[in-house]
Amino acid sequence: MKKNQPHLVRTESIYVEGNDPRQRGMARASQIAPHIRSTVRAYSELYSSLGISEPDATAAARTSMDAIRDWDPDQHLELLGVATGSGITATDLGHIVGRTEILTLAKQQPQECSTVTFQQPGRTMSAQTWDWKPQLVRNWHFHRVAALPGGHAYAGFAEHGMTGKVGLNSAGVGVHLNILKNTDDAPGGVPIHAVLARILGTAGSVDEAINIAEDAPTSASSIITVLDRNRAVNMEINPHQVALNSRDGWALRTNHFACPSQADGAQLLTPDSNTHDRMDYLESATTSAGEPTDLDNMLQVLCSPLEDGLVSVLPDPAAPNKGATLVTVRIDPANARIEMSPGAPQYASDMTVRFTVPQGQSPRVQTLQN
């Protein structure tokens, strides 16, 4: 089991560029095609294990790709490049890109994540633990992505096959993701991961990111936390609307709706969700931390005791379907910096990958390792 501990798993880091969307998609596939194919298989197996039939998963994957085509044709072309370069169909790739939407068909909901931001005039910072299935511990990568004409370069991490997930772009716009649940969640809408990719590739400010999210006909609930150097906003998305929440100082998000306007249909992911326990922990940790001065301060508030299984979570050999922290992220838009580490935040000193994403330039990478 030790070799599958998230902080010990070998990670991929790729650089993606192209003159047009399809070329950029092909360039991505040329570096990680076997990983993309294995991730399609991994998600197909996950859906089956959760009681989602293969025909239902395939139909949902197809509608996800169709929704992207109608909403963002350039992104659809890029994803077609990823699929072609990987030797799979667009619908195969939809099993990955539309995985949040497909999982609305399951009775057992996805694992949970925790995000914190700090906002003061002229300065914001953020951090997140990304918790997901331990069996998918090898199905993600770090990436640097060159800008398309008229767009922005960006860096961050994504699951194999996705063109964007959590990251920071060269305009200083960063994004995080937490899953939510509403009774009306369903497959078929624009995938939330396509919304993240479009924000990273095109948004020049928090306001532009909000416009992108509000324009997307999504069908599954999530929180996108978006920040630039001046502002941090939580966008609570359900199938009917986007609600905004922003405040100075610390803002904390786990996996329940907080905006009163989103109460209709709001649910916990599972009856035994620990979302409120994690919120309580973060409230205490940020209160005692005071005002952060750097990303190390942001990292520390995520370090809940590993034995508690709250914000920082290790794989449990006795419960292989339980989530674990696969990646820890922190973002500093004012310094054009995103830092990421495999596994729980306690292991960040073992390896941190730091990307600098300067305006008008390709991202630069530095690996800090003990």
Side-chain angles (χ1 to χ4, degrees):
M1 182 66 188
K2 236 179 188 183
K3 65 180 180 180
N4 287 322
Q5 288 289 341
H7 63 284
L8 298 177
V9 169
R10 181 180 180 274
T11 57
E12 298 285 338
S13 184
I14 65 174
Y15 176 64
V16 182
E17 61 180 342
N19 294 325
D20 59 44
R22 188 176 179 88
Q23 282 188 16
R24 197 168 71 172
M26 294 283 287
R28 177 179 296 274
S30 71
Q31 299 174 72
I32 55 170
H35 298 309
I36 294 171
R37 291 192 295 269
S38 70
T39 302
V40 172
R41 292 191 296 270
Y43 269 109
S44 295
E45 291 169 3
L46 176 63
Y47 301 147
S48 177
S49 73
L50 295 175
I52 304 173
S53 72
E54 190 279 330
D56 285 347
T58 297
R62 184 179 298 112
T63 56
S64 288
M65 295 299 287
D66 290 346
I68 297 171
R69 180 197 60 211
D70 295 341
W71 178 67
D72 188 349
D74 282 348
Q75 184 174 169
H76 187 255
L77 287 173
E78 184 168 2
L79 290 167
L80 289 181
V82 174
T84 300
S86 301
I88 59 176
T89 68
T91 299
D92 290 335
L93 189 61
H95 283 77
I96 303 171
V97 179
R99 58 87 152 170
T100 299
E101 291 67 31
I102 296 171
L103 285 166
T104 64
L105 297 170
K107 292 182 180 179
Q108 177 186 334
Q109 292 301 310
Q111 309 305 309
E112 307 188 355
C113 305
S114 305
T115 300
V116 298
T117 59
F118 187 85
Q119 174 180 287
Q120 60 185 7
R123 187 72 191 273
T124 65
M125 287 183 284
S126 62
Q128 172 178 4
T129 51
W130 178 56
D131 293 5
W132 195 219
K133 301 286 187 179
Q135 63 265 39
L136 295 169
V137 69
R138 301 175 186 274
N139 294 90
W140 64 272
H141 61 274
F142 300 122
H143 60 177
R144 295 178 295 146
V145 183
L148 292 171
H152 304 294
Y154 57 94
F157 83 90
E159 296 174 72
H160 297 316
M162 295 178 180
T163 57
K165 190 176 177 80
V166 175
L168 174 70
N169 75 16
S170 56
V173 176
V175 288
H176 298 273
L177 180 66
N178 296 63
I179 193 74
L180 295 175
K181 184 180 180 182
N182 181 282
T183 53
D184 292 336
D185 287 342
V190 169
I192 199 69
H193 286 92
V195 178
L196 292 169
R198 184 163 174 177
I199 290 172
L200 286 168
T202 68
S205 66
V206 164
D207 284 335
E208 290 184 13
I210 292 170
N211 290 338
I212 289 169
E214 290 179 335
D215 178 64
T218 54
S219 62
S221 300
S222 293
I223 306 167
I224 293 179
T225 296
V226 59
L227 66 158
D228 57 25
R229 67 181 301 157
N230 297 308
R231 194 172 162 210
V233 175
N234 300 129
M235 298 188 286
E236 286 191 2
I237 300 169
N238 72 19
H240 308 294
Q241 63 182 346
V242 178
L244 308 179
N245 187 27
S246 180
R247 70 185 212 189
D248 287 339
W250 290 100
L252 319 172
R253 295 316 306 253
T254 50
N255 298 94
H256 57 274
F257 286 98
C259 296
S261 64
Q262 303 289 66
D264 189 22
Q267 295 184 314
L268 295 180
L269 291 179
T270 60
D272 61 349
S273 168
N274 68 359
T275 179
H276 292 291
D277 293 333
R278 283 180 289 121
M279 182 66 75
D280 290 344
Y281 175 83
L282 291 172
E283 289 277 9
S284 176
T286 53
T287 298
S288 61
E291 183 176 310
T293 59
D294 56 32
L295 290 182
D296 285 343
N297 296 150
M298 301 298 294
L299 182 72
Q300 290 307 309
V301 302
L302 300 176
C303 291
S304 66
L306 291 170
E307 62 271 18
D308 292 347
L310 291 173
V311 177
S312 303
V313 187
L314 293 178
D316 183 351
N321 288 322
K322 183 181 176 183
T325 303
L326 303 190
V327 188
T328 301
V329 185
R330 43 267 190 219
I331 298 177
D332 180 354
N335 287 312
R337 180 179 296 171
I338 177 171
E339 296 181 355
M340 296 168 287
S341 306
Q346 284 87 339
Y347 299 104
S349 60
D350 290 357
M351 188 181 85
T352 290
V353 177
R354 174 185 296 161
F355 293 102
T356 304
V357 196
Q359 189 167 5
Q361 301 178 41
S362 293
R364 299 192 295 266
V365 61
Q366 177 184 13
T367 301
L368 312 175
Q369 205 162 11
N370 277 349

